[in-house]
Amino acid sequence: MPRIINKISAIFGHRCPRCEQGKMFKSKLFDFKHFMDMPTRCDRCDLVFTPEPGFYMGAMFISYALFSFGMLFLVALFYLAFHIGINMSIFLAVLLALISFTYIMRLSRTITLHIVRSFNPVYSKK
């Protein structure tokens, strides 16, 4: 069970999938000019963060799913639990989505690399 907790912590902390310690992004979360800049390799275990050109195209599908289900959940929460009108519920959900945009984009890249590293033995070797 602790292995799963370490893996989830590494994903949400944007850490390397192999060593779970190296940082996957160079800049701060709200540095809008460079928020997606990644080093080429992990500074701890030397894992390549971009195994091939266009590798992170699949991250778009993950970010779309995270945004879509997150928006639906937030609108339903505001509307059903807090009894806020539907227009205000949508507005608040969009506002929270705009605030969390950089985090979700980084999270989708992290999830993509963690998934591929788990299933592809080439990226698993230390």
Side-chain angles (χ1 to χ4, degrees):
M1 190 63 141
R3 178 74 184 126
I4 293 171
I5 293 171
N6 289 342
K7 183 57 80 174
I8 290 171
S9 175
I11 289 172
F12 284 104
H14 308 296
R15 302 288 183 184
C16 173
R18 183 188 291 163
C19 66
E20 297 175 354
Q21 294 176 0
K23 292 182 180 179
M24 286 186 60
F25 296 95
K26 293 179 182 179
S27 64
K28 300 286 184 186
L29 187 60
F30 290 109
D31 179 10
F32 294 111
K33 193 171 184 179
H34 304 285
F35 78 97
M36 293 299 282
D37 290 351
M38 298 175 70
T40 54
R41 295 179 174 272
C42 176
D43 58 349
R44 301 278 177 120
C45 68
D46 210 37
L47 177 73
V48 177
F49 284 149
T50 309
E52 58 190 43
F55 176 75
Y56 290 109
M57 283 294 225
M60 291 189 311
F61 296 106
I62 294 173
S63 67
Y64 178 77
L66 291 173
F67 272 114
S68 299
F69 290 119
M71 294 285 287
L72 286 173
F73 173 76
L74 287 173
V75 169
L77 178 73
F78 292 141
Y79 185 70
L80 298 173
F82 297 117
H83 306 291
I84 299 174
I86 191 70
N87 289 337
M88 184 56 84
S89 296
I90 293 171
F91 173 75
L92 290 173
V94 168
L95 184 66
L96 288 173
L98 289 174
I99 292 170
S100 66
F101 172 75
T102 56
Y103 183 77
I104 297 293
M105 293 301 291
R106 282 183 170 194
L107 184 63
S108 64
R109 277 194 172 197
T110 305
I111 290 171
T112 302
L113 190 60
H114 276 262
I115 288 172
V116 170
R117 191 243 175 226
S118 297
F119 291 109
N120 192 341
V122 172
Y123 304 125
S124 303
K125 295 178 183 173
K126 286 191 175 187

